[in-house]
Amino acid sequence: MLPKLLSREFYERSPEIVAERLLGKRLGRKLGETLLEGIIVETEAYFGLNDPASRAYHGRKNYNSAMWEQPGIAFIYNVHNNWMFNVVAHRSNQIGAVLIRALEPTKGLSVMKRNRPVRNTFDLTNGPGKLTKSLGIDKKLNGISIVSRESEIFITDTNAKFETSSSHRIGVRKDLAKKLRFFIKGNKYVSR
DNA sequence: AGGAAGATCTACT
DNA sequence: GTAGATCTTCCTA
């Protein structure tokens, strides 16, 4: 039996809830015939106009418009020459996204290493810019749906059990009072 | 034309 | 652990 694909409804909740619930889920990336896969081990939630760390803070622009659109699509943008992969997540008529910060790679490691040559397997996907490089994700995939099995990127459910923890978001200049970074406790692929 | 950015790498103490 | 260079993308002017 195929693992259960996360539906549109999964993403139609506050980014904070979705960020926490995405931990332990399986992220699949189809590259032609090849399937790359990893477990999501670290995420961050971003809100809209009231969140100074959010790409949406300064209002809707060409590059950030995905954050206003339908939950369950990819939102990809560049920072310091690194692509950031986010999933759009918010309640209806709101704004928000979840940044995928780190994965534990499970399938297609040799292809990932070709995309991003590193000595140590731990360095393959333990940061937001690293995992997009390893998985071959860039702006071309901005706005694609990830709630169909035909998608180039999709996320499936697992029944893994683990402990989670949270902290303030990494690298942001002005963070909110809430802790919006979530990670799997003790996982070796968490970025720090 | 200039600047800022949710990062990463390298080279250190 | 921390500091500095990086040299893309998209913003504002």
Side-chain angles (χ1 to χ4, degrees):
Chain A
M1 185 174 137
L2 287 168
K4 189 180 180 308
L5 191 71
L6 298 185
S7 65
R8 175 93 55 207
E9 290 72 40
F10 180 91
Y11 303 100
E12 290 174 339
R13 295 181 285 184
S14 154
E16 188 179 359
I17 304 285
V18 175
E20 193 169 14
R21 299 290 176 82
L22 277 176
L23 292 177
K25 301 292 192 279
R26 218 177 277 281
L27 176 76
R29 164 74 170 118
K30 260 185 279 192
L31 268 179
E33 295 300 301
T34 313
L35 177 66
L36 309 180
E37 198 181 80
I39 305 290
I40 298 171
V41 300
E42 180 181 351
T43 59
E44 281 177 359
Y46 287 86
F47 296 95
L49 302 171
N50 299 318
D51 179 357
S54 173
R55 289 283 125 153
Y57 185 56
H58 296 291
R60 186 169 178 154
K61 315 277 183 197
N62 234 343
Y63 79 104
N64 64 13
S65 60
M67 287 186 78
W68 277 256
E69 291 169 18
Q70 201 171 27
I73 65 172
F75 167 44
I76 297 166
Y77 65 88
N78 188 284
V79 57
H80 293 273
N81 202 16
N82 295 290
W83 295 107
M84 301 291 120
F85 173 66
N86 302 248
V87 182
V88 174
H90 55 76
R91 304 185 60 107
S92 55
N93 300 316
Q94 302 212 10
I95 304 162
V98 174
L99 171 68
I100 309 299
R101 283 194 57 92
L103 302 174
E104 176 177 340
T106 51
K107 277 191 189 140
L109 287 270
S110 59
V111 174
M112 292 189 202
K113 280 178 180 158
R114 203 186 317 145
N115 290 338
R116 181 179 152 77
V118 286
R119 284 208 186 109
N120 193 328
T121 301
F122 287 115
D123 288 327
L124 226 32
T125 53
N126 63 343
K130 299 179 184 180
L131 69 91
T132 54
K133 193 85 200 287
S134 291
L135 297 185
I137 294 173
D138 66 18
K139 192 190 166 75
K140 289 195 298 292
L141 299 172
N142 188 36
I144 66 161
S145 167
I146 63 160
V147 293
S148 152
R149 226 173 260 286
E150 282 68 53
S151 305
E152 290 187 78
I153 303 173
F154 55 91
I155 302 178
T156 48
D157 211 348
T158 63
N159 45 21
K161 292 276 185 292
F162 45 82
E163 265 191 87
T164 66
S165 188
S166 64
S167 79
H168 284 286
R169 295 176 293 188
I170 290 178
V172 312
R173 288 140 67 108
K174 287 188 224 160
D175 205 353
L176 298 173
K178 279 185 183 176
K179 290 184 174 174
L180 294 171
R181 169 177 175 252
F182 304 94
F183 56 95
I184 294 182
K185 222 172 175 174
N187 187 285
K188 296 287 191 298
Y189 292 86
V190 171
S191 68
R192 63 172 75 165

